[in-house]
Every structure is written in C-alpha cells, then in structure tokens.
Amino acid sequence: MKPSLVVSAVQQPCNEDRQTNLDFSIAQIHEAAAQNADLVVLPELHLGPYFCQNEDYNHFDLAQAIPGPTTAILAETARQANVVVVSTIFEKRAPGLYHNTAVVFDKDGSIAGKYRKMHIPDDPGFYEKYYFTPGDLGFTPIATSIGKLGVLVCWDQWYPEAARLMALAGAELLIYPTAIGWDAEDTDEEQQRQLEAWVTVQRGHAVANGLPVIACNRIGFEKAPDSDKGIHFWGNSFIAGPQGEILSHANATDNTLLTCTLDTARTGRVRQIWPFLRDRRIDAYGDLTQRFID
C-alpha cells in the first residue's frame, strides 16, 4: 500500500429512479478523483431504494449478473477516473440464487474481485433472508493496485470475527458499504443509542485490528412498499484511523463526499505499539466455532 492513500466515501440518497442514483454515484466518483482520491466507496445497494423492507418476489427483477450492465458502466467510470471503486449490487447468480455482492473495480477498469455478504439479517423492515443467499467466498481481502481491501457489507459490521478474519488474511483497510437507519416508532433516545452502537462497534474493529475503517451509509426516508412505515437512513458515514480515531464524519441528512488522507505507514507503527495479533491465544479459541457454549 502507498505511504499515503486518499480515500472517499459517498453518502447519498437512493431514490426510485435507478439511473438518477447511478448518475449521482458516477458524478461523485469523478468529484473524488478531482480531489486525488485513490479509492471511492459507495453505499450498499446504491442503485435504488432498499427493497428488503418487505417480501415481494417482483423485486427479484432488480437483480443482475456480475459482470453485467452496471458493472460495465462502473468499470469504465473507474478507468476514466483512475480510481478504485467499491460498489454493491443485487447479484443474480442463477435462477433462484441471489446475493448481496460488493464488487471492487481497479483503476484500469478491471474487476479486482467481489465479496458476497456473509451475515444476512431477517428483522422487521430488513427481510434480507428472503432475497439473499449467504456468501460463499469467505472473508478474503481483494487485492488491488492500492493494496488489499477487506470489504464487508452492512450487517457484517457487527461481527468482530469478520473483521478479524479479514485482518488475519492480510487486509490493509476495512470497508463497510451500508444501508442502516431508524424506525420512526423508536424514541429519540433509542435512536441515538443505536447510532452510537453502530459507530462504536466499527471503531472497535479499527482498534482491535490496527486498521483504518471506512463506513459508508445512505441517507433519507424510504417508505415501505406495503405500508406508511419506512426507514430513515441515518447517514453518519465516517472514516476512522487504526486507533479508532475519527478522521472524517458526515451528518445524518446531507449528501456528502467524505475525503481524507490515510497515513498507511502509521498503521504499521500502531500495530507495533499494540501487537494484538502477536498476543492472540489461538490455542484457546477453538470454541469460537460453536454456536453457544452450553
């Protein structure tokens, strides 16, 4: 990885019109490139509204192959802008087999790799198990021209095991494209607790693994297709350093292009000061493969 790396996260709304959303993402990629970005991260499933608020087989029509029409457009955008781009796409792998898949495009427009979301939620308003098969590519960093990227997706961000396995496999940066928000029926106090938990757990992954973290969320209220309820996506995208320090942070409402420079040499120094990988008791962790220790 370069001694310094300019990274960007695109915080955007995801409206009904897919072309408008894609055009906005592309414009932000070029804007990031104008700021000398090496890497641009887009929110989870940024092509349209978060369709997992209900279970409707018609939504499967939104899925597409990888490679496919959207990857072709984003690949060309990455090539023109000379940046690495991280996008997530509703992947149609085969009839009846779909994934929530992050695709990484290198600066030359090639697909450097992909990651299929491993942890799939199933909660009110987040009915992802209906749509997505759990990933089968493992927690494997994606090698690019700027380094090895530990790309995970949304619900994965709550699991320290996922971040740790990416770090153990050589990831130099943890990246979390996200679509997460509030239920309007929750109190203001509960909403704040949820937001703080989301930020805190990801800062914890940075600390525990000595790696920078990019968390990229969408914004805006998206009504549920079958009711007056919906999700208010809370934004608050951020970039943190290897000690969990916040380097750049967006608010809850605004279109924002976060851009900052990472001192990648400092990551190595932090790991020397706090050698967590050295002191892991790998001989004593066997029970982590158990669902619960009864």
Side-chain angles (χ1 to χ4, degrees):
M1 188 169 276
K2 295 165 50 178
S4 63
L5 198 68
V6 180
V7 299
S8 295
V10 176
Q11 178 170 287
Q12 67 175 84
C14 300
N15 300 307
E16 289 289 341
D17 186 70
R18 291 164 68 86
Q19 190 61 50
T20 299
N21 297 326
L22 181 57
D23 289 346
F24 185 91
S25 297
I26 290 170
Q28 292 296 90
I29 291 169
H30 285 292
E31 176 60 28
Q35 298 179 27
N36 298 312
D38 296 291
L39 169 69
V40 182
V41 181
L42 301 169
E44 181 186 19
L45 300 172
H46 60 98
L47 290 180
Y50 181 72
F51 55 87
C52 305
Q53 291 196 60
N54 70 339
E55 297 181 355
D56 183 346
Y57 71 88
N58 291 297
H59 292 327
F60 287 108
D61 292 339
L62 300 171
Q64 55 187 280
I66 299 173
T70 298
T71 61
I73 293 169
L74 289 172
E76 179 61 15
T77 302
R79 188 193 67 79
Q80 290 178 358
N82 193 36
V83 296
V84 175
V85 175
V86 179
S87 169
T88 56
I89 292 172
F90 185 15
E91 179 188 7
K92 181 179 180 180
R93 185 174 177 183
L97 181 59
Y98 302 82
H99 297 279
N100 186 341
T101 302
V103 185
V104 178
F105 304 90
D106 216 330
K107 290 187 174 186
D108 62 0
S110 63
I111 293 180
K114 59 188 178 184
Y115 166 82
R116 290 176 175 141
K117 185 173 180 178
M118 294 283 280
H119 300 95
I120 311 297
D122 187 39
D123 299 296
F126 295 88
Y127 297 109
E128 294 197 14
K129 280 187 167 64
Y130 180 76
Y131 297 101
F132 307 133
T133 299
D136 56 359
L137 299 177
F139 299 106
T140 305
I142 296 172
T144 73
S145 59
I146 62 170
K148 293 183 178 179
L149 308 183
V151 181
L152 297 155
V153 178
C154 203
W155 193 232
D156 293 326
Q157 66 208 175
W158 299 95
Y159 294 86
E161 300 91 340
R164 176 70 87 204
L165 286 168
M166 282 293 190
L168 292 177
E172 297 169 283
L173 182 63
L174 296 174
I175 298 171
Y176 295 99
T178 300
I180 190 170
W182 291 300
D183 183 337
E185 294 184 358
D186 287 332
T187 64
D188 291 344
E189 292 78 11
E190 174 60 19
Q191 291 181 358
Q192 187 61 31
R193 286 192 294 267
Q194 291 175 8
L195 172 59
E196 290 180 359
W198 178 76
V199 173
T200 299
V201 73
Q202 291 176 94
R203 292 180 68 188
H205 299 330
V207 175
N209 295 288
L211 293 176
V213 165
I214 301 174
C216 184
N217 193 20
R218 63 172 75 196
I219 53 172
F221 178 77
E222 296 180 21
K223 182 180 173 298
D226 54 355
S227 76
D228 291 330
K229 297 182 179 180
I231 300 172
H232 190 120
F233 291 93
W234 65 46
N236 279 277
S237 303
F238 68 91
I239 301 170
Q243 289 173 303
E245 70 277 21
I246 299 295
L247 303 175
S248 188
H249 189 197
N251 64 22
T253 59
D254 293 341
N255 298 341
T256 307
L257 177 63
L258 294 180
T259 301
C260 71
T261 301
L262 301 178
D263 178 358
T264 58
R266 182 169 166 272
T267 296
R269 293 194 295 273
V270 167
R271 281 185 157 187
Q272 290 168 345
I273 296 167
W274 288 348
F276 298 134
L277 300 188
R278 182 196 68 187
D279 295 338
R280 294 176 64 242
R281 285 296 308 275
I282 58 175
D283 58 311
Y285 297 157
D287 283 343
L288 285 176
T289 61
Q290 302 298 315
R291 180 68 64 188
F292 187 76
I293 303 172
D294 295 296

